[in-house]
Amino acid sequence: QREFAFKAVIDASRQRKLVPKGDLSAIAEALQVDDVTMKALACEAAGQWKVASTQPTLEQIATDPTSLPVVFAGAIRGLRLLGGTDAVLFALADSEQPVQRRLAVISEMAQMDLPAAAERAAAVLGSLQGTQDGVGDLFSAFLALSKGPNALATALKGKTLVQPIAYQGVQSANASGNKPEALVKALTEAGKLKPINQGLSAEDMQALVAEVRAKGDPHRGEVVYRRQALQCAVCHALGGAGRMVGPDLVSLGASAP
């Protein structure tokens, strides 16, 4: 209950731009708790409420290699919200930290310095040899900003991406509301992607359905659906998970072929 109430306060503060009254320095104590979720929320609150005295602690959490991902994410968000911490976040993005952490930092940086974040995003994406947790969140961070897709598209010019990364970006872009053509083009060129022929003849469809009925494995299908690189959940729901942009896949094998 305490965790739920704390999150409700932070959500209200974020959405309504409100800061609780009184002495907020006590939030520093919450940065030391063992509860991971509470600690992450406290990190964000410290930044949202501009408690400047917490900056050293937030920096310590962000640079601690043992910080769990959810706490690390809260710390870098708190630093961004606190303000005046650009140099700290830039250093984290350019450091030898694990790629997943660098992706998370760059996602936050996009709201601070879009061109600089886009350049770093293009560099990190170009260094990846395969799918990586955090790539989807990185694309989402740029797609959520009005000028984000064009900034990332500009930074990707002349870069080379492995096809899984480029394909993941195209899927994220196509699933967004604004259909950023420049970004889709940049990703297609960087990954040397070829158009996918999605049309099937009646004969091809009949053969495919027969093969699925004979060899199909619904459990393996769910594993494929949940692969982050394929981004199926961006458009399709399955068993309550995912979005409803496209058809719900729960009917496959029943009412749908």
Side-chain angles (χ1 to χ4, degrees):
Q1 278 190 331
R2 185 179 65 168
E3 178 183 312
F4 179 81
F6 193 20
K7 188 176 187 305
V9 170
I10 293 175
D11 287 342
S13 177
R14 184 192 303 121
Q15 294 167 8
R16 302 176 188 177
K17 307 299 181 184
L18 298 176
V19 176
K21 295 181 180 179
D23 182 10
L24 300 177
S25 61
I27 193 68
E29 297 178 9
L31 298 179
Q32 308 297 335
V33 299
D34 293 329
D35 186 293
V36 171
T37 303
M38 285 291 292
K39 189 170 185 175
L41 290 171
C43 287
E44 182 175 348
Q48 184 74 40
W49 300 340
K50 309 298 183 185
V51 185
S53 60
T54 62
Q55 181 173 335
T57 304
L58 292 176
E59 290 182 15
Q60 185 274 326
I61 294 172
T63 55
D64 184 351
T66 66
S67 293
L68 295 176
V70 65
V71 177
F72 174 80
I76 59 175
R77 182 167 295 114
L79 286 168
R80 174 180 65 80
L81 292 169
L82 193 60
T85 58
D86 300 34
V88 176
L89 292 175
F90 284 7
L92 286 170
D94 295 336
S95 70
E96 296 300 320
Q97 295 228 30
V99 170
Q100 187 175 354
R101 286 192 166 201
R102 295 179 65 195
L103 291 169
V105 174
I106 295 168
S107 296
E108 290 294 335
M109 284 176 55
Q111 299 186 55
M112 299 165 45
D113 187 333
L114 186 55
E119 289 294 332
R120 286 166 171 78
V124 174
L125 291 173
S127 71
L128 299 179
Q129 298 304 308
T131 57
Q132 170 75 43
D133 288 344
V135 171
D137 292 337
L138 179 72
F139 284 125
S140 295
F142 282 90
L143 289 166
L145 302 172
S146 60
K147 297 181 180 180
N150 285 341
L152 186 54
T154 299
L156 285 170
K157 288 182 179 179
K159 297 289 193 301
T160 300
L161 303 179
V162 295
Q163 290 191 345
I165 297 296
Y167 182 59
Q168 186 174 357
V170 169
Q171 284 186 308
S172 296
N174 285 335
S176 67
N178 52 6
K179 303 291 185 182
E181 295 181 4
L183 179 56
V184 170
K185 180 180 178 182
L187 288 164
T188 300
E189 292 177 352
K192 296 181 173 59
L193 302 181
K194 297 179 180 179
I196 299 176
N197 181 10
Q198 296 181 332
L200 290 176
S201 66
E203 293 78 9
D204 290 338
M205 176 62 77
Q206 187 176 11
L208 179 60
V209 170
E211 183 177 2
V212 168
R213 286 174 174 166
K215 303 178 181 179
D217 181 345
H219 300 293
R220 182 173 180 273
E222 182 173 355
V223 171
V224 172
Y225 165 82
R226 297 187 185 281
R227 286 181 188 167
Q228 187 184 38
L230 297 179
Q231 297 283 284
C232 301
V234 170
C235 296
H236 298 279
L238 178 64
R243 297 170 62 189
M244 293 296 291
V245 177
D248 191 325
L249 301 182
V250 75
S251 62
L252 290 181
S255 60

